[in-house]
Amino acid sequence: VSLMLPAAFGHGAPAVGAEAGTGVVERGLREAVKSGTVPSGIRISYDDLHTIYGGTLIEVRGDGSAYRIDVSERGDRETTRHVEKAALLELLKQFVAVRAWKQETPELPPIPDESRAMLWNELGGEKAGFWERYNEMEDNGRMLRIRESLDRLVPPAGDRR
């Protein structure tokens, strides 16, 4: 699996379970929802890429620019698009509802072929987010809710949404 992001999209989540930016990101997300204004400097990254099975990487920025790559054995499919501010604000409301800055899944030794989905919010120079085991997303509901919203905002290449 090879992954090349456009230069405008710097990919790199903090270490899994990083807590350093939690307060900054939480306050920023809550203030954005309260004021109805999307911070221009926010960067949202969803990543469930697995080195064997492929997966999806989606990145959305506060200016509305969005990038998605879906990696599979059939090849990589990339798409870029612009997301309207109102749709971004609705996404941020969901982040606040699920506390998208707080890790809730306990750290346990990985099982063979385990895959994780990660969501990172970068705001004010700080990053915070959470991860869930891919096979537990449906039961947990937090990450799945965000992933479905991101799929609507930045659908896979060839999807006519």
Side-chain angles (χ1 to χ4, degrees), residues 57-101:
L57 171 73
I58 303 171
E59 186 164 299
V60 181
R61 294 178 178 239
D63 66 2
S65 59
Y67 174 79
R68 177 185 182 126
I69 185 166
D70 293 285
V71 178
S72 73
E73 69 279 352
R74 295 183 303 276
D76 302 354
R77 295 182 311 157
E78 299 179 51
T79 188
T80 58
R81 72 170 20 195
H82 180 79
V83 176
E84 297 297 323
K85 293 281 186 187
L88 275 173
L89 188 59
E90 288 302 313
L91 182 63
L92 297 184
K93 287 178 183 176
Q94 287 188 37
F95 285 7
V96 170
V98 302
R99 296 176 321 280
W101 53 84

Side-chain angles (χ1 to χ4, degrees), residues 18-31 100-102 121 123-124 126-129:
E19 299 283 333
T22 300
V24 171
V25 172
E26 178 183 0
R27 283 189 301 277
L29 290 171
R30 289 185 184 281
E31 180 56 33
W101 53 84
K102 183 172 175 46
N121 302 289
L123 185 60
E126 299 290 340
K127 291 182 183 179

